[in-house]
Amino acid sequence: MTNSNSWQAAGLNRRKIGDYIVTAIVDGFIAVPFDLLAGIGPDEAMRMTVAAGRPSSSAMTVSTYLIEGKGRTILVDGGGGGINGWGGRLHASLAAANVNPLMIDQVLLTHAHPDHIGGLVGALPSAPLFPNAELVMHDAEFVFWTDDAILNQAPDAMKPFFQAARVVFEAYGARRRTVSEGQVAPGISIEHFPGHTPGHSGYRIDGGDASLLIWGDIVHYPDIQVPRPEVTIAFDADQTAAAATRKKVLERVSATGELVAGMHLNFPGFGRLSKTGQAFEIRHEPWSAELI
Ligand SMILES: [Zn+2]
């Protein structure tokens, strides 16, 4: 038998951020068409992708991030777990990184879409796959997915997303913690970036000389939405707010030059932004054999 499917081998890339080591872990990809984007046609989206040197494909990368240090092992998001065929390689990649799921002390959620939580529960929905982990998310995220009035008004296509979120929240039960601001672990703070979902958040690691902002879903297609931040995606709960938040975050990180990471960046999973005139640009950081 040959490995003839379209999966890559385990994608792992480590960076040092102060006393923490942060590992980008590719969970896989989501095979979605560019038709999901608003504010750009599919042909133009493909043209921008190819012009950026990417393969001519609308597949969206899905990653999670592992943070190790200060006696803790923390996972940021849980990948897609294979829901709808989305992602699903997190656990194989954790094994390749020599990380046992029992070691995970905390799971920090950027938001509760299926491609970020699918890998947190097993075939028995009540069984958390990281049974020793505290599940942390923004207050507004928990409220959004658990409010029956919001569920009832949601489009039919989005209703399974509520179901998936509720299954995961239930599985972690008493180990759930919702927050609105401040530190969630030593040197790691939550930052609220509402729009994509009401509680959508990033996590900033302050490591003294070095810092890292894991910005969640500020972009889904970096080669498109960095140069054209007004382009939104069908999964945005509030498209206007999502675009406004994206612009605000891009302004900030291009001004500071801080290192960023995101669940839909291209591997190896880290980048820096710049702005020339009115145009934002992302430069993905190259992989380094030496841990830097
Ligand atoms: Zn996502």
Side-chain angles (χ1 to χ4, degrees):
M1 289 251 300
T2 54
N3 194 0
S4 60
N5 63 29
S6 50
W7 287 114
Q8 260 286 6
L12 303 167
N13 178 30
R14 292 202 151 105
R15 297 279 309 220
K16 236 168 31 187
I17 308 291
D19 294 331
Y20 284 117
I21 294 190
V22 180
T23 307
I25 302 174
V26 177
D27 180 52
F29 62 90
I30 303 179
V32 281
F34 282 138
D35 303 6
L36 291 177
L37 297 174
I40 190 170
D43 292 348
E44 175 63 2
M46 188 64 84
R47 190 201 62 74
M48 290 181 75
T49 303
V50 173
R54 307 291 307 164
S56 106
S57 164
S58 58
M60 185 192 297
T61 302
V62 180
S63 294
T64 68
Y65 292 85
L66 182 75
I67 305 172
E68 296 171 279
K70 305 193 181 190
R72 294 181 185 229
T73 305
I74 300 166
L75 189 63
V76 187
D77 286 355
I83 293 178
N84 296 332
W86 296 355
R89 301 287 291 174
L90 170 64
H91 289 268
S93 296
L94 282 174
N98 213 15
V99 174
N100 183 317
L102 297 176
M103 291 160 60
I104 305 289
D105 305 301
Q106 274 183 313
V107 175
L108 309 180
L109 272 193
T110 64
H111 63 301
H113 275 157
D115 55 316
H116 300 257
I117 59 169
L120 299 179
V121 294
L124 291 173
S126 55
L129 289 180
F130 300 101
N132 297 322
E134 175 187 60
L135 181 68
V136 178
M137 76 193 89
H138 194 279
D139 293 318
E141 195 65 8
F142 183 77
V143 168
F144 179 71
W145 296 108
T146 54
D147 185 325
D148 284 337
I150 297 172
L151 166 65
N152 292 335
Q153 287 166 16
D156 282 350
M158 292 299 290
K159 286 187 172 148
F161 284 30
F162 286 78
Q163 192 60 35
R166 289 174 180 205
V167 164
V168 171
F169 295 171
E170 185 71 21
Y172 285 80
R175 287 186 309 282
R176 239 175 19 230
R177 179 158 68 105
T178 64
V179 295
S180 59
E181 59 180 5
Q183 292 212 359
V184 294
I188 305 177
S189 309
I190 189 168
E191 297 205 25
H192 191 200
F193 297 145
H196 180 50
T197 62
H200 177 255
S201 296
Y203 293 92
R204 185 173 188 278
I205 304 173
D206 183 353
D209 289 346
S211 73
L212 172 68
L213 175 65
I214 303 175
W215 72 15
D217 280 16
I218 286 297
V219 298
H220 294 87
Y221 290 104
D223 303 314
I224 298 166
Q225 290 175 299
V226 168
R228 294 188 48 183
E230 73 280 8
V231 172
T232 56
I233 193 160
F235 303 126
D236 290 332
D238 180 337
Q239 312 240 338
T240 308
T245 295
R246 177 163 39 259
K247 276 183 200 147
K248 201 165 129 190
V249 173
L250 294 180
E251 287 288 0
R252 163 184 151 187
V253 299
S254 60
T256 60
E258 65 197 287
L259 188 67
V260 300
M263 282 56 197
H264 303 298
L265 291 190
N266 301 322
F267 195 67
F270 300 91
R272 290 184 201 273
L273 281 288
S274 59
K275 189 182 185 192
T276 309
Q278 287 307 304
F280 296 107
E281 192 180 337
I282 185 165
R283 187 170 55 82
H284 286 80
E285 297 262 306
W287 184 84
S288 167
E290 181 190 14
L291 185 57
I292 52 162

